[in-house]
Amino acid sequence: MAELAIAEKAEAFVDYLAAQERKGLLRFLTCGSVDDGKSTLIGRLLYDTKLIFEDQLAALERDSRRHGTTGEDIDLALLVDGLEAEREQGITIDVAYRFFTTDKRKFIVADTPGHEQYTRNMATGASTADVAVLLVDARHGVAVQTRRHAFIASLLGIRHAVLAVNKIDLVDFDQDRFEEIRADFECFAEGLKFDTLVSIPLSARYGHNVLGRSDSMPWYEGPTLVEHLETVQIEDRVGDQPFRMPVQWVNRPDLNFRGFSGTIASGAVHVGDSVASAVSGRTSTVARIVTMDGDLPEAGAGDAVTLTLADEIDVSRGDLLAAADARPDVADQFSAHLVWMSDVPLFPGRPYLIKIGAKSITASVTEIKHKIDVNSFEQLAAKELHLNEIGVVNVSLSAPVAFDPYERNRDTGAFIIIDRQTNATVGAGMIDFALRRATNIHWQALDVDKASRSALKGQKPAILWFTGLSGAGKSTVANLVEKRLHAMGRHTYVLDGDNVRHGLNRDLGFTDADRVENIRRVAEAAKLFVDAGLIVLVSFISPFRAERRMARDLVGADEFLEVFVDTPIDVCRTRDPKGLYAKADAGQIKNFTGVDSAYETPEHAEIRLDTVAATPEQMADEVIAELRTRGLIEV
Amino acid sequence: MSIDRQSHLKRLEDESIHIMREVAAEFHNPVMLYSIGKDSSVMLHLAMKAFYPSKPPFPLMHVDTTWKFREMIAFRDETARRLGLELITWTNAEGKAAGVNPFDHGSSYYTHVMKTEALKQALTHYGFDAAFGGARRDEEKSRAKERVFSFRTETHAWDPKNQRPELWRLYNARIHKGESIRVFPLSNWTELDIWQYILAEEIPIVPLYFAAKRPVVERDGMLIMKDDDRLVLKDGETVQERLVRFRTLGCYPLTGALESDAATLPEIVREMLIARTSERSGRLIDHDESASMEKKKREGYF
């Protein structure tokens, strides 16, 4: 009998486990102003849901004595503030992910920082969350930070918000105060895109209305925070959308199998469904949905699967497979909201890498339409975007890609921006809509082309890009080189920094943003001259590597020679042919390269000229010799 | 038995597979760090799923301190053979020659030389640009803030203040030559998820996780298994046969056993749910200093 009882108990336990396994998953984030008690609230959730083990508690009591801010009580926030620097400063400076579970759901919590300068981390936490829990201090009410966080949550596509009115014990559980804050916030949130908004009076420190109900607030009849999180219905937003799957990896174990592996971003796919590779437009039907657990008749959003197709169509990593009868947008320009995440500002015209789905592609922002003041929601004019700023921009890509508006699909409408030199993630974007201009302006195909134009001149066109500090000797050498080429009967043109600024670039100043645009225009002009078959000598300080690289990428690999006119700043300052260094040192000129604006030394220049060691004539000879070596002019 | 297609385990599985495929597609020379424990078993099982019907397009690598349980080594070799995968093993030869061991050199120095340094040597030697690890965010506080794609400098160092923002499922895999990324596909799994998944998917694990009579010695408040003769008894110590199992596996002199009669997976999970001691307390290395994990990770530890 006893054995039977044990067996039944074991069986019951297996049943219990099966029930645990069927629980759903909810991802939410907590955000709020500094000292609103986010970390304390998460500590409370972990504590109350019994995931805090005895030895963690023992360690906690030790740490509380050293760093704690709650006197003799346990400081629950220390459970979640993981990094040493945070414990010392007493603030949360990075996103932390925490896990707890109740009988109904498993939860992944992103605890995001409140400080203004860490807005990018808040956006990070929000990008994968379904619910935002916004904390306010009952004593202070809705703060500027609360509005900012609500706005970012809404912008990142969160449709369910909870206003957690914390520290309600410190206002004596006052219903009027709670209602006042609730009304204030609801009025503000009308302009945002939340489907549900629930306000809950609670005390994280003492546990009122977190997990269990509070006796101190008989007037409150709504759910506790955990009750609400357990039951809030997250509609299947992506399940109802058309089928989309970015191809991550082409699965080719042998010649007989060619599958496309990826995670289904939206919709469902069945064997026999007609699908298209969105950019090429080629279609086929789904032959198999392959998994290690056996083939499936259908698969849905979120499933990581491998599809095989009935036809051999060209599909590779980065392509988007889509329902053939409901295809995504395909364009090389779109409008998007951008959150900037780097200390180095965003400059329109500068080339970046963007990653969208499984596709990485070169792109640049062509225009900042406006930035948004996240405190007042005013639209402000901007020439650049700084760390933690949000802007509405136009993005231009080096080739068309497939996407959906972010509003409809978080997976196929989101992208990150990567700096091509540092490889840092510098921005996050949400696509609003495709710009149709791309399809309207076709490159005019002309019968006389670059090759025929340059053949007529008996030369190969190229850009000689002279870069270096002001006073380095760029124009002097470029002038000599052009004279020699001219004497040889070569067709040339010089684009000089000062000259171009009198006309084409008259409207630009010397801020970093304007310098980027200055170089972009000159590079495009040089490209047109190369197309005309000319040897173009560009003489520009061009201080940033990114723009020199952009210029290089505009023409063929053998058509661009970077000439680094290498003169130490002290020598330039001594020469000071135009008296500019004297003015810059006196503070009369702002943003002067080498004085209060950076010059990024070329790393892989084709030609480096040491102006201290050689005369201008010798250096011009050096350049001509290099042109011969490279076959750009005949020997 | 396999997992419910709507469950949170399925979502975790999908996420891990997605991460692994990104790595296989974006890096030239990835490797999977295989530590033989339950988390590694789950990670390896997920890798088999991620690339099926292909084999995972990367080798497994085990950093062998020479002090692992014998049953672990046997299980490791059997697993690689059963799945038909390439297995690289690496031992810090200098450390071994110098006789660095957990008894004479202290757990902190020993771990640094035979684990952290050995790992860095191996990664540099093979030029791996991405390395999968089975760490989970629920294990420890500083882990909770680590990225899924965790950037490492040329010297394998981690800078917690200079982490790349990680949004949506868009992982930034761009690095310069010599730099690398540590990838944690199990970031969002909890210990309970791991056990439930092992149960549901019938994943083989090292028998040391199950209770059995084993020879143990009481030392510093822990039960240390006498796995071989290198464990020399101190005065007053005796070897006792006790019914024990291990909650985590590592180097046997540093891994405490717990007394238990949980001999099946459901019993282990049940024991875990009512456990009053958290997972890593079975490992001596974390006791050494507060914030020790963050310090070790900065130096290049997984």
Side-chain angles (χ1 to χ4, degrees):
Chain A
M1 278 308 279
E3 272 173 30
L4 187 66
I6 290 167
E8 273 172 4
K9 214 168 123 193
E11 216 165 85
F13 186 70
V14 171
D15 289 346
Y16 166 79
L17 282 180
Q20 292 292 306
E21 195 202 299
R22 280 192 292 274
K23 284 191 296 203
L25 178 65
L26 183 79
R27 291 175 190 249
F28 70 96
L29 90 158
T30 54
C31 42
S33 185
V34 181
D35 296 333
D36 285 342
K38 293 177 309 299
S39 295
T40 305
L41 178 65
I42 295 177
R44 168 61 63 189
L45 287 167
L46 298 179
Y47 191 91
D48 282 1
T49 53
K50 307 287 190 285
L51 252 183
I52 292 172
F53 298 102
E54 196 172 51
D55 68 333
Q56 282 179 329
L57 274 177
L60 180 70
E61 279 162 20
R62 273 203 312 276
D63 279 354
S64 292
R65 279 197 290 277
R66 203 168 343 143
H67 302 292
T69 55
T70 53
E72 291 300 303
D73 295 332
I74 289 173
D75 185 351
L76 291 166
L78 291 176
L79 274 174
V80 291
D81 286 343
L83 304 179
E84 271 180 356
E86 291 173 352
R87 258 170 283 156
E88 283 153 17
Q89 294 170 21
I91 53 160
T92 311
I93 59 171
D94 204 338
V95 192
Y97 293 91
R98 288 282 152 186
F99 309 86
F100 70 96
T101 185
T102 68
D103 288 339
K104 298 198 176 76
R105 268 180 178 164
K106 170 180 167 150
F107 298 94
I108 299 180
V109 193
D111 179 18
T112 62
H115 262 214
E116 182 171 343
Q117 64 265 41
Y118 298 110
T119 295
R120 67 172 198 176
N121 290 323
M122 148 109 212
T124 301
S127 73
T128 51
D130 290 314
V131 177
V133 177
L134 304 154
L135 270 93
V136 297
D137 186 322
R139 295 168 300 175
H140 309 298
V142 175
V144 166
Q145 287 282 352
T146 318
R147 296 151 57 101
R148 171 195 294 268
H149 291 148
F151 174 74
I152 296 170
S154 171
L155 179 69
L156 269 288
I158 294 178
R159 293 294 168 259
H160 302 277
V162 178
L163 185 73
V165 182
N166 192 24
K167 307 191 185 183
I168 196 78
D169 52 304
L170 296 182
V171 295
D172 298 325
F173 306 101
D174 180 15
Q175 181 177 9
D176 291 343
R177 177 64 183 145
F178 169 72
E179 295 296 347
E180 183 188 351
I181 294 169
R182 188 226 301 253
D184 188 12
F185 187 74
E186 282 178 354
C187 173
F188 157 76
E190 262 176 28
L192 302 176
K193 292 175 178 167
F194 296 128
D195 294 339
T196 69
L197 169 58
V198 172
S199 299
I200 302 172
L202 55 83
S203 163
R205 187 169 166 188
Y206 299 106
H208 296 286
N209 284 343
V210 177
L211 183 71
R213 303 196 65 79
S214 169
D215 295 337
S216 310
M217 288 169 276
W219 48 265
Y220 176 71
E221 291 173 348
T224 67
L225 179 61
V226 170
E227 283 168 2
H228 179 62
L229 292 172
E230 279 179 330
T231 52
V232 59
Q233 287 298 313
I234 305 303
E235 69 289 0
D236 189 3
R237 281 161 66 192
V238 286
D240 300 336
Q241 295 285 330
F243 168 70
R244 302 279 186 264
M245 188 186 91
V247 175
Q248 283 185 283
W249 192 70
V250 178
N251 197 333
R252 241 193 136 188
D254 54 56
L255 291 174
N256 301 319
F257 187 94
R258 185 158 179 266
F260 306 105
S261 300
T263 306
I264 297 175
S266 66
V269 66
H270 308 79
V271 171
D273 279 0
S274 182
V275 295
S277 179
V279 173
S280 75
R282 301 200 182 277
T283 59
S284 182
T285 50
V286 175
R288 293 173 60 195
I289 302 170
V290 180
T291 77
M292 195 171 86
D293 301 313
D295 281 13
L296 304 173
E298 67 172 313
D303 291 344
V305 294
T306 296
L307 304 182
T308 66
L309 303 179
D311 312 278
E312 283 267 328
I313 63 169
D314 184 27
V315 176
S316 53
R317 170 170 168 85
D319 288 342
L320 182 66
L321 292 179
D325 58 358
R327 300 192 194 185
D329 288 318
V330 175
D332 63 359
Q333 290 191 48
F334 54 70
S335 174
H337 276 73
L338 210 59
V339 180
W340 198 249
M341 302 183 152
S342 167
D343 292 326
V344 183
L346 161 82
F347 299 124
R350 172 169 284 190
Y352 297 95
L353 206 64
I354 76 166
K355 186 171 183 183
I356 170 167
K359 182 96 185 165
S360 295
I361 188 167
T362 310
S364 64
V365 169
T366 51
E367 187 189 353
I368 300 175
K369 289 194 265 192
H370 58 260
K371 65 180 181 185
I372 299 168
D373 181 322
V374 290
N375 301 325
S376 66
F377 308 119
E378 262 183 287
Q379 299 182 357
L380 306 172
K383 284 194 155 186
E384 39 190 64
L385 273 190
H386 292 268
L387 178 64
N388 292 316
E389 288 189 334
I390 294 167
V392 175
V393 301
N394 286 350
V395 176
S396 172
L397 309 162
S398 59
V401 296
F403 55 84
D404 294 291
Y406 185 79
E407 176 90 22
R408 238 184 284 151
N409 194 321
R410 262 168 134 179
D411 267 313
T412 56
F415 61 94
I416 55 170
I417 301 185
I418 298 167
D419 185 284
R420 296 210 302 181
Q421 256 129 35
T422 65
N423 288 329
T425 303
V426 292
M430 291 138 282
I431 298 174
D432 297 318
F433 50 84
L435 292 169
R436 294 297 172 189
R437 272 180 301 176
T439 49
N440 298 335
I441 304 172
H442 295 282
W443 184 256
Q444 188 65 46
L446 301 168
D447 292 333
V448 178
D449 62 5
K450 177 161 70 177
S452 53
R453 289 185 205 105
S454 53
L456 191 65
K457 299 180 181 73
Q459 64 184 43
K460 287 184 183 167
I463 297 175
L464 286 170
W465 191 281
F466 292 80
T467 173
L469 295 168
S470 176
K474 298 179 298 298
S475 297
T476 308
V477 179
N479 183 40
L480 283 173
V481 171
E482 187 182 30
K483 270 165 71 179
R484 287 200 162 88
L485 288 170
H486 189 73
M488 295 157 134
R490 302 295 159 221
H491 298 256
T492 57
Y493 195 78
V494 171
L495 287 166
D496 182 85
D498 289 344
N499 297 351
V500 171
R501 278 193 179 272
H502 282 111
L504 177 64
N505 292 354
R506 187 167 54 191
D507 56 327
L508 300 177
F510 289 88
T511 62
D512 284 354
D514 280 359
R515 281 169 184 272
V516 171
E517 174 61 13
N518 184 37
I519 299 301
R520 189 192 70 78
R521 290 186 199 172
V522 169
E524 290 287 356
K527 181 188 173 184
L528 290 173
F529 285 131
V530 164
D531 199 55
L534 300 179
I535 296 171
V536 192
L537 297 91
V538 179
S539 172
F540 270 71
I541 296 172
S542 46
F544 304 128
R545 281 187 204 117
E547 282 67 56
R548 296 195 299 261
R549 183 160 169 180
M550 170 191 68
R552 179 185 291 273
D553 290 349
L554 283 177
V555 293
D558 51 355
E559 292 176 336
F560 189 92
L561 277 77
E562 190 168 342
V563 184
F564 176 30
V565 184
D566 189 2
T567 309
I569 178 108
D570 298 341
V571 177
C572 295
R573 188 174 265 125
T574 311
R575 290 182 190 160
D576 203 7
K578 298 169 192 164
L580 297 175
Y581 283 94
K583 282 188 188 167
D585 288 340
Q588 291 164 13
I589 306 177
K590 291 279 176 227
N591 300 320
F592 194 76
T593 302
V595 178
D596 57 352
S597 183
Y599 179 79
E600 296 170 5
T601 307
E603 285 168 338
H604 308 289
E606 277 77 7
I607 303 172
R608 178 182 163 271
L609 302 175
D610 183 346
T611 70
V612 179
T615 66
E617 287 74 18
Q618 288 169 330
M619 292 185 284
D621 290 342
E622 208 179 312
V623 173
I624 296 288
E626 184 67 26
L627 293 180
R628 285 209 174 94
T629 309
R630 291 175 178 267
L632 289 167
I633 53 176
E634 286 150 33
V635 183
Chain B
M1 184 175 173
S2 70
I3 54 172
D4 189 315
R5 293 193 57 78
Q6 299 305 315
S7 71
H8 72 277
L9 287 180
K10 178 67 172 64
R11 292 281 85 93
L12 292 172
E13 178 188 87
D14 290 323
E15 180 183 71
S16 302
I17 288 174
H18 182 87
I19 292 162
M20 289 179 177
R21 287 169 172 174
E22 280 299 289
V23 171
E26 293 245 17
F27 290 89
H28 298 295
N29 191 18
V31 67
M32 178 166 279
L33 271 294
Y34 177 66
S35 72
I36 320 173
K38 63 185 193 304
D39 302 297
S40 275
S41 291
V42 167
M43 182 164 65
L44 182 53
H45 183 77
L46 290 164
M48 296 303 290
K49 286 195 173 198
F51 303 101
Y52 178 87
S54 298
K55 298 272 190 213
F58 40 76
L60 305 180
M61 184 167 78
H62 177 230
V63 174
D64 191 346
T65 60
T66 73
W67 291 92
K68 301 295 175 189
F69 291 90
R70 283 173 300 164
E71 278 185 81
M72 288 173 71
I73 300 300
F75 181 87
R76 175 193 75 187
D77 295 342
E78 162 60 17
T79 298
R81 192 197 56 72
R82 175 171 55 86
L83 300 176
L85 300 177
E86 183 193 348
L87 171 73
I88 297 168
T89 61
W90 183 275
T91 299
N92 182 347
E94 295 149 36
K96 196 182 172 192
V100 174
N101 69 70
F103 303 116
D104 302 328
H105 298 88
S107 70
S108 171
Y109 180 73
Y110 160 78
T111 302
H112 180 72
V113 173
M114 298 307 284
K115 286 178 88 171
T116 309
E117 285 305 313
L119 173 65
K120 289 198 278 187
Q121 284 172 358
L123 293 175
T124 304
H125 177 83
Y126 289 100
F128 292 124
D129 53 3
F132 290 105
R136 308 186 318 267
R137 284 173 175 154
D138 81 323
E139 280 178 69
E140 199 271 341
K141 279 194 285 191
S142 75
R143 290 245 195 253
K145 305 200 170 186
E146 179 142 36
R147 304 293 187 258
V148 173
F149 274 43
S150 182
F151 177 80
R152 301 302 157 105
T153 64
E154 259 182 285
T155 57
H156 306 287
W158 179 65
D159 179 1
K161 283 199 192 147
N162 192 22
Q163 300 197 78
R164 293 174 176 177
E166 207 161 72
L167 296 99
W168 300 290
R169 291 181 210 160
L170 296 172
Y171 302 103
N172 178 353
R174 310 275 302 182
I175 51 168
H176 291 295
K177 201 169 159 45
E179 297 167 346
S180 62
I181 303 271
R182 303 274 174 94
V183 184
F184 301 104
L186 304 182
S187 285
N188 288 326
W189 295 61
T190 63
E191 189 186 11
L192 179 60
D193 297 327
I194 293 287
W195 283 118
Q196 286 186 325
Y197 191 70
I198 288 171
L199 184 63
E201 295 277 310
E202 298 173 342
I203 300 170
I205 51 170
V206 183
L208 291 162
Y209 286 112
F210 300 106
K213 287 266 188 193
R214 295 188 172 95
V216 293
V217 174
E218 269 194 65
R219 182 176 288 181
D220 302 331
M222 295 191 358
L223 291 175
I224 302 297
M225 179 166 153
K226 188 168 166 48
D227 196 50
D228 60 36
D229 292 339
R230 292 180 295 177
L231 182 87
V232 179
L233 297 188
K234 296 178 183 173
D235 282 350
E237 288 182 344
T238 55
V239 176
Q240 307 161 32
E241 288 282 322
R242 292 214 210 162
L243 190 59
V244 295
R245 66 179 204 87
F246 294 87
R247 207 169 153 190
T248 63
L249 294 179
C251 299
Y252 83 80
L254 298 176
T255 308
L258 55 107
E259 293 198 83
S260 164
D261 57 2
T264 65
L265 279 172
E267 284 168 5
I268 288 175
V269 179
R270 182 168 53 179
E271 189 177 272
M272 202 213 92
L273 283 174
I274 54 175
R276 299 187 58 78
T277 337
S278 81
E279 185 176 2
R280 295 192 72 86
S281 69
R283 290 190 196 166
L284 274 176
I285 51 171
D286 283 339
H287 293 313
D288 286 354
E289 53 193 288
S290 180
S292 65
M293 180 60 79
E294 182 182 348
K295 186 163 171 293
K296 283 204 291 283
K297 278 160 58 63
R298 283 173 189 268
E299 291 166 355
Y301 183 75
F302 245 84

